[in-house]
Amino acid sequence: MANLTALTRGGLSWIPKFLQSINKDTCLGCGRCFKVCGRDVMELRWLNEDGEFAEEDDDDELERRVMVLANPEKCIGCEACARICPKRCHSHAPLPA
Ligand code: SF4
Ligand code: SF4
């Protein structure tokens, strides 16, 4: 089976590359990728001082926020998030052949 192929408005084919992961070690939590994505795929989460995910109302010491892949099933594979990211945090791939 070939990779999923989509069509542009003009009928040109292209292969969507779906968001696989976001590197939390390099993410600045700037929110730029969130703003360009119209599909509710990502969300900002807190990390505690041990680098673990934490909730705002936890007793943990909150350190910084990073973007995470929250709803991968909603991604359309446009790669806009990767183009806007200043730290090249996003990894994308087509659906497996
Ligand atoms: S590839 Fe497109 S749809 Fe998927 S997360 Fe990035 S901006 Fe959103
Ligand atoms: S654009 Fe890059 S650095 Fe900024 S929140 Fe998104 S993944 Fe993190």
Side-chain angles (χ1 to χ4, degrees):
M1 193 173 72
N3 287 325
L4 171 71
T5 301
L7 295 179
T8 68
R9 180 177 176 175
L12 303 173
S13 63
W14 63 285
I15 296 174
K17 291 186 181 150
F18 300 98
L19 182 58
Q20 306 293 302
S21 62
I22 305 171
N23 188 337
K24 73 177 168 55
D25 296 328
T26 55
C27 178
L28 304 169
C30 68
R32 290 181 198 179
C33 56
F34 183 86
K35 286 182 189 159
V36 299
C37 179
R39 309 298 298 190
D40 189 30
V41 178
M42 298 169 279
E43 66 182 27
L44 273 174
R45 295 279 311 274
W46 280 102
L47 292 177
N48 65 21
E49 53 191 346
D50 296 324
E52 297 161 341
F53 289 110
E55 301 302 325
E56 213 160 351
D57 50 5
D58 282 354
D59 287 338
D60 290 342
E61 195 72 34
L62 299 176
E63 178 101 347
R64 65 189 178 96
R65 293 206 295 177
V66 295
M67 198 63 67
V68 301
L69 178 51
N71 301 304
E73 73 283 359
K74 294 185 177 178
C75 179
I76 59 170
C78 69
E79 295 180 89
C81 49
R83 282 195 291 277
I84 200 74
C85 178
K87 300 294 283 183
R88 303 173 65 90
C89 298
H90 304 78
S91 298
H92 292 257
L95 285 182

